[in-house]
Amino acid sequence: MSHLTYEQRYTIEVLLQAKEIKSSIAKKLGVNKSIITREVNRNSDRRNRVYKAKLAQRKYDERMAGKNKHIKATPDLIQQVKSLIREDYSPEQIAGVLKKDGKEFLSHEWIYQYIWKDKRAKGNLHKHLRRQGRKYRKRGANKDQRGIIKDRVGIESRPEIVEKRERFGDLEVDLIIGKKHNQAMLTINDRASGMLKMRKVPSKEAKVVSKAIVEELSDWVPFIKTITADNGKEFADHHYVTEQLGIDYYFARPYHSWERGSNENLNGLIRQYFRKSSDFEPISKDQVKAVEEKLNRRPRKRFKYENPIFVMDRLLFNDKVAFVT
């Protein structure tokens, strides 16, 4: 492994806050201890020596951008950037796609600055960003009280191969809850390829959710192997899923969101279209599937700006090629 991902940096931040030692963090991430030591020393805040994933990623991106030769943004290049922004690509995705396609290099920071300049000029490009420029709420501000699910099998029993993300069929599942808690969006993603399946459900009642999971995964049955959920009671009917699909069902540890990091990140992308606090009732099935397809075709940095459909195809039908993240 030559570079850490943002997901891994977030894991380092959380484990450091939990007072984990660097050798333990390295073991959990499957890297050498020296990588963790170098990462923390190099990318911590110089004023207070506190390590934050967001700052660390920014420092890394700035160093990478500095290695590239910046060119003048031509009108044609700017038009292409604007077109990709309106397709809801993030600045990082745009920079990666341009580089992958052999186009002139523009850093994602330059693209962000262009978007803010457009916003000050009363433009609307910022509305295509994932959070539209809003600040993140502090984590840990609220904790929901969750009961213990009967017959749950913890993530510690999950096969080690799942963590490696080398095969298609190891899934993560979650719910995005809508306004007044009367509607929800079921999200299922494959850990290795990032492929998404999504469906609106009328409630978060366990039997409703388990039936939706089974129906949504019917065409993936020959390929799926495991599924991992959080400890919400909406997943209490897990036996139905395992019986119908013939897969193993695991539960992450409470308040260990990084154990389902792929799903957490993907839910953030989905909320660009379906806000957590918005009313899901008027949303049609066709709208849900349109967003699902859009995200499955969107390039991802961890796949060197290939999209999940491409990666799934490689994992399923070309054993000689694998994307390890």
Side-chain angles (χ1 to χ4, degrees), residues 242-260:
T242 59
E243 290 168 2
Q244 294 296 313
L245 298 179
I247 63 175
D248 295 320
Y249 207 121
Y250 301 96
F251 290 87
R253 286 167 288 190
Y255 313 119
H256 285 58
S257 60
W258 65 86
E259 293 179 340
R260 298 179 303 102

Side-chain angles (χ1 to χ4, degrees), residues 197 214-223:
K197 278 187 173 290
V214 170
E215 291 177 354
E216 198 61 34
L217 292 177
S218 60
D219 60 334
W220 279 5
V221 169
F223 311 110

Side-chain angles (χ1 to χ4, degrees), residues 7-217:
E7 182 182 344
Q8 290 170 320
R9 289 187 168 99
Y10 174 63
T11 300
I12 293 171
E13 176 186 336
V14 172
L15 293 179
L16 285 173
Q17 289 176 353
K19 307 301 182 183
E20 291 257 9
I21 60 175
K22 294 184 179 67
S23 58
S24 175
I25 296 173
K27 185 176 181 181
K28 288 181 178 179
L29 291 180
V31 301
N32 191 281
K33 177 186 174 182
S34 63
I35 293 178
I36 304 300
T37 300
R38 183 167 61 249
E39 170 68 18
V40 173
N41 291 341
R42 193 176 194 185
N43 291 328
S44 292
D45 191 316
R46 294 189 181 278
R47 295 167 296 179
N48 55 24
R49 303 309 302 167
V50 173
Y51 181 87
K52 295 289 185 181
K54 191 173 182 180
L55 174 62
Q57 186 69 37
R58 186 168 72 244
K59 285 187 172 186
Y60 167 77
D61 289 338
E62 288 171 352
R63 285 196 298 272
M64 292 300 101
K67 293 181 179 180
N68 294 279
K69 182 179 179 181
H70 291 264
I71 56 95
K72 182 179 179 181
T74 64
D76 287 344
L77 187 57
I78 290 176
Q79 188 59 42
Q80 185 176 3
V81 168
K82 290 169 67 175
S83 176
L84 291 174
I85 292 171
R86 293 192 174 104
E87 284 295 317
D88 301 326
Y89 282 35
S90 72
E92 194 170 58
Q93 289 168 338
I94 295 170
V97 168
L98 292 175
K99 186 175 181 179
K100 181 176 74 73
D101 292 345
K103 302 290 179 62
E104 297 91 338
F105 175 77
L106 287 175
S107 74
H108 70 279
E109 288 293 339
W110 186 95
I111 298 170
Y112 269 119
Q113 292 302 320
Y114 181 81
I115 293 172
W116 303 142
K117 181 180 178 181
D118 176 78
K119 183 179 180 180
R120 290 192 294 271
K122 308 300 182 183
N124 64 359
L125 292 179
H126 66 282
K127 293 184 177 181
H128 293 272
L129 293 177
R130 175 172 158 183
R131 294 188 59 84
Q132 301 186 11
R134 290 191 295 274
K135 293 182 178 180
Y136 283 85
R137 186 178 64 182
K138 289 184 178 180
R139 294 180 181 270
N142 297 296
K143 290 186 179 180
D144 60 312
Q145 301 300 317
R146 300 194 169 211
I148 297 177
I149 294 175
K150 185 178 180 180
D151 299 327
R152 69 183 292 281
V153 179
I155 197 171
E156 61 273 9
S157 299
R158 195 174 67 177
E160 291 185 6
I161 191 174
V162 179
E163 192 65 29
K164 296 180 180 179
R165 303 173 189 255
E166 294 177 346
R167 65 183 187 181
F168 182 87
D170 294 308
L171 312 177
E172 296 175 347
V173 62
D174 200 8
L175 279 188
I176 299 175
I177 309 300
K179 187 177 182 181
K180 298 181 181 179
H181 288 246
N182 62 352
Q183 296 277 324
M185 203 71 68
L186 173 70
T187 66
I188 308 171
N189 68 284
D190 174 65
R191 284 175 55 82
S193 67
M195 279 292 292
L196 166 69
K197 278 187 173 290
M198 186 164 55
R199 168 182 291 221
K200 189 178 76 170
V201 291
S203 78
K204 59 178 183 177
E205 199 269 326
K207 290 189 180 298
V208 172
V209 172
S210 62
K211 183 179 179 182
I213 292 173
V214 170
E215 291 177 354
E216 198 61 34
L217 292 177

